[in-house]
Amino acid sequence: MNDHAPRPAVLVTRRLAPGVAERLTACDLRYHDSEQPLGRAELLAAAAGCSALLTTLDDTVDAELLDAAGPTLRLVANHAVGTHNIDHAACAARGVAVSHTPGVLTESTADMAWALLLAATRRLGEGERLLRSGRPWAWAPTFLLGVELSGTPLGILGMGRIGRAVARRAAGFGMPVSYHNRNRLPADLEQGARHLPLDELLASSPVLVVTAPLNAATRHLVDAERIALMPAGAVLVSMTAGVVDEEAVAAALASGHLFAAAVDNFEHEPAVPAALLAQERAVLAPHLGSATVRTRQAMGNLAVDNVLAVLAGAEPPTRVSPPPPTAAPRS
């Protein structure tokens, strides 16, 4: 950057992990040092004249925001793998690049999927709430019986980086793995897993982990009809907001068709459906999949790498191009 030129403005819409924001101090940094999102009017005002926006999934990046930023805007760097909060067509029409943070959160998110799976199958949330309530309890052969994972078939909907990391961990439990993607993976990436049509995967999965990305084709892909295909007493873990119909999950828990379910992030965050909150066998986490210090620092640094590259006239290293596919998945 030319020392005599005006410093490019960069808006960071949320507090970053320790040590990340400091890398942008050579810019005109507009840093929202809070875990709470900016209000819409504040966001529009703060974006004016910016060269880059470092956004999160809570920030709707649409024509209104892009126009508020104006012609200086060159990049929207999303602090996430997903980019469903961004209008890609509107960005392309204005020559604004979009980047994301793939790869660096794979292992922590897969760990979280297993944490939720274990909590759901072994009823840990119920057990902790019982102890904290002070209600009397006693060990008995039938007390808080759960589902044993060892040797149980595992289905994975979405065998991308995170899905494959979930599958690797299944080997330690001796669980045979089946999966569904729109397209079958090359054999070297399948790790011995079996590719199935979606409905067949659901019907054969007493345990299902959903890691498919959200796009127009996958929204509510796992709805009430598809949950009904799962074996009675199945366990479902959702790691992607919007792919699983949360109201349908609550209904399946209430009816007893699902033994338990776990959800890490929600379609209308921070709101959680009341019907889901009412279910004792729902394990609910406030979007913690990537919430380790190491991973959040890696995500923030990758987002900043993209910003600094664009400001230097280079290509952002993890540009999203072309936009995510919207074709319907094959069943």
Side-chain angles (χ1 to χ4, degrees):
M1 287 179 249
N2 187 332
D3 291 339
H4 302 291
R7 298 197 304 172
V10 176
L11 172 62
V12 177
T13 66
R14 202 70 58 87
R15 180 182 297 154
L16 299 176
V20 176
E22 289 80 352
R23 295 181 59 205
L24 291 168
T25 52
C27 306
D28 172 13
L29 181 59
R30 304 175 186 179
Y31 184 47
H32 181 54
D33 189 13
S34 172
E35 293 182 351
Q36 297 303 310
L38 284 163
R40 184 65 177 178
E42 295 174 296
L43 178 62
L44 295 172
C50 282
S51 296
L53 308 177
L54 200 162
T55 56
T56 72
L57 290 173
D58 287 333
D59 302 312
T60 298
V61 180
D62 55 10
E64 181 186 38
L65 179 59
L66 298 172
D67 290 343
T72 58
L73 186 64
R74 296 153 64 187
L75 174 70
V76 176
N78 222 34
H79 191 295
V81 174
T83 57
H84 55 268
N85 59 309
I86 297 172
D87 185 334
H88 289 266
C91 288
R94 292 160 177 77
V96 176
V98 176
S99 67
H100 62 156
T101 60
V104 294
L105 52 72
T106 298
E107 301 303 327
S108 60
T109 304
D111 285 348
M112 185 64 183
W114 276 93
L116 291 173
L117 181 54
L118 287 163
T121 55
R122 299 305 298 269
R123 301 174 67 178
L124 296 185
E126 292 175 81
E128 185 183 26
R129 286 190 292 275
L130 173 62
L131 292 180
R132 290 183 182 278
S133 73
R135 298 194 305 271
W137 64 279
W139 186 94
T142 56
F143 179 61
L144 283 180
L145 296 183
V147 172
E148 190 161 337
L149 289 178
S150 180
T152 300
L154 170 65
I156 298 175
L157 174 53
M159 194 74 155
R161 289 186 181 95
I162 295 170
R164 295 196 298 273
V166 170
R168 287 198 304 274
R169 287 155 174 76
F173 289 82
M175 300 174 74
V177 177
S178 300
Y179 77 97
H180 176 79
N181 271 4
R182 192 164 63 93
N183 297 306
R184 182 172 180 172
L185 293 173
D188 61 322
L189 293 180
E190 285 189 317
Q191 306 170 152
R194 181 175 56 147
H195 180 265
L196 294 175
L198 177 55
D199 289 355
E200 188 175 337
L201 176 77
L202 295 169
S204 60
S205 297
V207 177
L208 179 73
V209 176
V210 178
T211 62
L214 176 63
N215 55 48
T218 61
R219 187 175 296 278
H220 287 192
L221 182 63
V222 182
D223 57 10
E225 290 185 9
R226 286 207 159 106
I227 291 172
L229 297 175
M230 297 179 69
V235 177
L236 186 157
V237 175
S238 171
M239 300 300 295
T240 312
V243 175
V244 175
D245 183 335
E246 295 159 13
E247 296 285 355
V249 171
L253 288 169
S255 72
H257 181 68
L258 287 178
F259 175 83
V263 182
D264 179 52
N265 52 92
F266 301 88
E267 187 170 0
H268 302 294
E269 290 185 1
V272 179
L276 201 53
L277 289 169
Q279 296 305 315
E280 272 292 292
R281 295 194 187 178
V283 178
L284 309 175
H287 206 149
L288 298 179
S290 62
T292 69
V293 172
R294 182 170 67 185
T295 293
R296 291 285 170 83
Q297 285 178 325
M299 292 173 71
N301 280 319
L302 185 50
V304 169
D305 288 345
N306 282 279
V307 170
L308 295 177
V310 167
L311 295 183
E315 180 73 4
T318 55
R319 182 171 186 159
V320 179
S321 180
T326 57
R330 295 171 188 164
S331 60

